[in-house]
Amino acid sequence: MTLLDVQGLSAGYGDVGVLHDLDFQIADGGVVALLGPNGAGKTTLLKSLSGLLSRRSGRAELEGDDLMSMHPEATARHGMAHVPEGRGTLTDLSVEDNLRVGGYLRSSSEVQETMKVCFDYFPVLADRRTQQAGNLSGGEQQMLAISRGLMLRPRLMLLDEPSLGLAPNLTRQLFAALGQINHEQSVAMLIVEQNASLALDLASTAYVLESGRIVLAGTADDIKGDTSLRKAYLGY
Amino acid sequence: MTDLLQLLVSGLASGSIYGALALAIVFVFRSTGVVNFSQGELAMISTFVTLGLYKAGAPLVIAIIGSMVISFVLGAAIERVLIRPVQGRSEHAPSIITLGLFLGLSGIAGWIWGLDPETFPGMFPERSLEVGSVRLSYTSLGIIAVLLATVAVLYVFFERTRLGLMMKAAASNPATSRLAGVPVSRLLMCGWGVASAVGALAGALIAQSVYVSPSMMVAVIIYALAAAALGGLSSPVGAVVGGWIIGVAEAVVSDRVGFIGGDLKIVVPLVIIFAVLLVKPTGLFGAKEVSRV
């Protein structure tokens, strides 16, 4: 089952085109890694899917609903949770209030329930529930940002560089949690990540973006197994 | 000693007036991140509306409530028509617009209602309470009581209600809030509306000691901005305490320090703000600004 179907997506800022005619799919419950150098348009792609960027054209359907006409509030209602780069937390609110805001679209009993689920994945957030989000460490803020997205009970999460600025062991923990979330909550994921090898371990499919175009598409295993492909496109 | 106590009470009463308008400023800042310099002029318009409803035969309480409703609509309309188009383009554009509004609204008020000062009906009995040798007027006590009730309502609204939390979220990080499905634009509009309604209430309190005219708020808004800044701009309790500090300091200093008297007293709040912000840049009750580099 295809969850997200993108055909001929182009997007940009003002007169500058950033993405050119992209085609790709995400299967229901699947994990897709979006790789490529800085400036390739990965963040722009996530923004144009979630509606943060409105200058876009082409077709993008989430379970048959047209995303191209939706603003962020609407894509959220349709089950898409975008966790933006640089940890989109509400820094002057407490951890718990951040999660409540994340659960805006859910009933209060669902909020209580999902909050427990988040605390199970990230117990440190339960210990810090009354602290101001801005006082958390970088890793904790990332966990909070992901949890904020989870509170929406999404079908699809868009994760923009979850490992940014985190120590290697913390990054591994975070990706382990993401894998668990994907399995247990049946949430599909589109992950933008600099750490290609980690992302390929989690993902089933990967796309490499360069200068706004998809230059390589394949299963994660194929790309991992092909040294020359890896060297040419991912630099390792 | 008695005199000092007397000064303290009258300082608290005038400080409550500054605090009431500061509350409206804090409300806008907290829910939209904009310092609304035209809050005083908006409250002045609201006061004229209250007076108009009263003159048309409405009981004073009904006139005030009616004016609060009309002010809510006016505030929301200003947000939508004048602030929204520039929001997000530049950090300071909305505040500059409110400066323009400051001038525009006072001009419009003069055009509609003329420049002659009018008297506002008293909200409280014109008697006073004798406590020992201190005379407490019902008006002073009433103003303080209304202010305390307002701040309690706002506190509960922000700290205990879902709508209050979403407003804080919308002001804190609009993009992230929208990604969670929070209808940010409607909440910002609502924030301006509620602030204007609070301003209408403040206007009625202010008009207990000031004639109603287009220039009635010019001095008050300076004290109110001072009170809001002193309290940290984002804290309702801070706005009130800031108003009280300024009111009391102004009363005591102008009475006790000979060379300051009535003419130089407007300097008092400035000195206090300077001293406080020097020691604590986020104000007395301001949230600590956290940024990670």
Side-chain angles (χ1 to χ4, degrees), chain B residues 164-251:
Chain B
L165 172 62
M166 295 311 158
M167 272 194 173
K168 283 197 289 187
S172 159
N173 189 336
T176 294
S177 302
R178 293 183 76 192
L179 289 172
V182 177
V184 170
S185 69
R186 247 180 294 158
L187 291 180
L188 298 190
M189 200 168 81
C190 211
W192 272 75
V194 174
S196 301
V198 171
L201 188 60
L205 296 179
I206 292 162
Q208 296 304 301
S209 55
V210 173
Y211 287 109
V212 181
S213 79
S215 59
M216 66 183 284
M217 297 292 181
V218 173
V220 181
I221 187 69
I222 292 174
Y223 289 104
L225 282 168
L230 199 54
L233 266 181
S234 58
S235 157
V237 176
V240 171
V241 173
W244 283 344
I245 291 174
I246 287 169
V248 170
E250 180 198 29

Side-chain angles (χ1 to χ4, degrees), chain A residues 44-56 62 66-84 101-102 104-106 148-149 152 154 156 158, chain B residues 173-186:
Chain A
T44 305
L45 174 56
L46 298 195
K47 282 184 175 173
S48 57
L49 289 176
S50 68
L52 278 182
L53 183 70
S54 54
R55 210 186 80 66
R56 62 210 155 142
L62 186 70
D66 176 26
L67 292 173
M68 291 288 103
S69 60
M70 292 185 195
H71 40 80
E73 294 92 320
T75 58
R77 269 199 305 279
H78 281 81
M80 178 141 65
H82 180 179
V83 180
V101 172
Y104 174 77
L105 294 168
R106 298 289 165 250
R148 201 248 341 112
L152 202 63
L156 172 63
L158 310 179
Chain B
N173 189 336
T176 294
S177 302
R178 293 183 76 192
L179 289 172
V182 177
V184 170
S185 69
R186 247 180 294 158

Side-chain angles (χ1 to χ4, degrees), chain B residues 19-268:
Chain B
L21 196 56
L23 273 181
I25 293 168
V26 163
F27 199 95
V28 166
F29 184 79
R30 185 114 174 221
S31 56
T32 70
V34 173
V35 177
N36 182 6
F37 291 105
S38 70
Q39 200 75 61
E41 304 307 282
L42 265 170
M44 173 268 292
I45 302 258
S46 303
T47 313
F48 271 112
V49 171
T50 310
L51 193 59
L53 290 173
Y54 177 74
K55 281 184 182 165
L60 187 54
V61 176
I62 302 296
I64 291 172
I65 291 172
S67 171
M68 285 173 77
V69 172
I70 292 169
S71 302
F72 179 94
V73 175
L74 180 68
I78 287 176
E79 195 279 335
R80 168 104 337 162
V81 177
L82 294 175
I83 305 296
R84 177 77 51 85
V86 300
Q87 191 119 38
R89 296 211 179 169
S90 129
E91 200 185 335
H92 302 296
S95 289
I96 301 296
I97 296 274
T98 69
L99 273 177
L101 259 178
F102 176 93
L103 297 172
L105 288 175
S106 87
I108 289 171
W111 179 60
I112 298 178
W113 289 291
L115 300 174
D116 293 334
E118 298 185 56
T119 42
F120 194 85
M123 290 166 71
F124 309 102
E126 279 184 33
R127 283 172 288 120
S128 47
L129 205 61
E130 305 270 345
V131 180
S133 53
V134 184
R135 277 182 54 237
L136 306 173
S137 77
Y138 278 111
T139 299
S140 295
L141 294 175
I143 287 173
I144 295 171
V146 171
L147 176 79
L148 287 177
T150 311
V151 86
V153 168
L154 289 184
Y155 180 84
V156 169
F157 176 77
F158 274 124
E159 301 304 322
R160 293 280 176 272
T161 73
R162 201 172 114 89
L163 184 60
L165 172 62
M166 295 311 158
M167 272 194 173
K168 283 197 289 187
S172 159
N173 189 336
T176 294
S177 302
R178 293 183 76 192
L179 289 172
V182 177
V184 170
S185 69
R186 247 180 294 158
L187 291 180
L188 298 190
M189 200 168 81
C190 211
W192 272 75
V194 174
S196 301
V198 171
L201 188 60
L205 296 179
I206 292 162
Q208 296 304 301
S209 55
V210 173
Y211 287 109
V212 181
S213 79
S215 59
M216 66 183 284
M217 297 292 181
V218 173
V220 181
I221 187 69
I222 292 174
Y223 289 104
L225 282 168
L230 199 54
L233 266 181
S234 58
S235 157
V237 176
V240 171
V241 173
W244 283 344
I245 291 174
I246 287 169
V248 170
E250 180 198 29
V252 172
V253 171
S254 68
D255 188 75
R256 291 301 163 93
V257 184
F259 73 94
I260 286 186
D263 294 330
L264 265 181
K265 69 176 185 179
I266 197 149
V267 178
V268 173

Side-chain angles (χ1 to χ4, degrees), chain A residues 181-229:
Chain A
I181 290 170
N182 169 246
H183 280 296
E184 296 168 7
Q185 310 294 320
S186 55
V187 183
M189 295 175 173
L190 176 59
I191 302 183
V192 166
E193 187 49 62
Q194 289 291 325
N195 188 333
S197 90
L198 228 106
L200 287 173
D201 284 341
L202 181 62
S204 48
T205 317
Y207 295 90
V208 178
L209 207 60
E210 260 174 34
S211 308
R213 289 189 168 80
I214 292 175
V215 291
L216 178 67
T219 67
D221 290 334
D222 284 351
I223 295 176
K224 266 193 299 194
D226 192 325
T227 322
S228 59
L229 271 184

